[in-house]
Amino acid sequence: MEKWKKIAISICAVLVAGYTIFCLSFFSNKNLNSNCKRIEITFSDSGVRKFVSEPEMLQFIQRAGFRIEGETISHKRCHQIEQQALLHPMIRTACCYMSPDGTMHLILSQRIPVLRVLGADNYYVDSDRKIMRTRSSTASYVPIVTGRVPQHLAQGELFDFVSWLRKDDFWSAQITQINVNTANNIELIPRVGNSIILMGNIDDYEIKLSKLKTLYNDGFSKFGWKEYSYIDLRFKGQVVCR
């Protein structure tokens, strides 16, 4: 009985595999040169951010000379449309394909801001460490970095620091602004209180903020911190409040 059961399962598996191969081959060949009846543009991350609209993306592609509706859309043409979509400053990934009903699907994802630099220049740094220019329609709540911020710093050590802050529930809620002063030292502006946290250089930030977190929990919770203007983490093994 067990032997026949195994044979039946094997036959079913072969039939399913064969049907799958047939469908892929049939639809692939059918849509290799399909006439486009309609266009459907969707954003996989539209529930999280909306920097660009579907009509804007369609216009962006059409302005590059792509005629779509009523045209023959091959796999090669789909690839070209993907490459054009990726030229948009807010687009991170693009996938284009034709479905059996003649619909051209263009599925997009948008770039993900990690931090925003405000100063002589104004831009975001995205999750791929690339510069992302701001637009009037772009709004994202991420840590703000002010002061003298060269791009290599924003894309390097500051990116790592902000990424670490965002993963820590306590510090992501506490720190609202990062300032790079004229001496290239880091100052942190907390959400609660009027104190400025002087971190000095960005080295060993995990150790420095670990000491400060202990002070928040064991010291400030008892006697408060409102009387202090500065909390200084620049000295090894110490937290100086003044």
Side-chain angles (χ1 to χ4, degrees), residues 4 10 21 27 32 79 86-87 102 135 143 151 181 203 242:
W4 288 109
S10 299
I21 293 171
F27 288 127
L32 183 61
H79 177 70
L86 291 173
L87 294 177
R135 313 168 75 209
Q151 286 190 4
N181 65 24
D203 298 337
R242 60 180 189 274

Side-chain angles (χ1 to χ4, degrees), residues 59-73:
Q59 290 176 6
F60 180 79
I61 292 168
Q62 290 175 333
R63 282 199 301 267
F66 288 92
R67 296 179 60 188
I68 301 175
E69 287 194 55
E71 296 295 311
T72 299
I73 306 297

Side-chain angles (χ1 to χ4, degrees), residues 85-180:
L86 291 173
L87 294 177
H88 192 282
M90 295 295 144
I91 298 302
R92 187 182 187 211
T93 64
C95 176
C96 179
Y97 67 94
M98 291 293 296
S99 59
D101 64 355
T103 300
M104 191 202 81
H105 298 269
L106 181 59
I107 303 175
L108 307 168
S109 70
Q110 298 162 97
R111 296 173 69 179
I112 306 170
V114 172
L115 62 91
R116 182 173 184 175
V117 174
L118 285 174
D121 206 355
N122 185 1
Y123 57 88
Y124 289 98
V125 178
D126 74 4
S127 56
D128 297 317
R129 298 179 187 260
K130 296 179 180 178
I131 299 300
M132 178 178 171
R133 295 296 170 185
T134 58
R135 313 168 75 209
S136 58
S137 60
T138 305
S140 186
Y141 295 101
V142 294
I144 294 174
V145 183
T146 57
R148 302 179 60 182
V149 190
Q151 286 190 4
H152 70 84
L153 180 63
Q155 295 172 286
E157 293 176 303
L158 268 178
F159 179 94
D160 295 333
F161 177 53
V162 169
S163 298
W164 180 84
L165 286 178
R166 295 179 65 178
K167 292 177 183 177
D168 188 287
D169 291 338
F170 179 82
W171 290 116
S172 63
Q174 182 70 358
I175 303 302
T176 60
Q177 182 179 335
I178 302 165
N179 184 61
V180 182

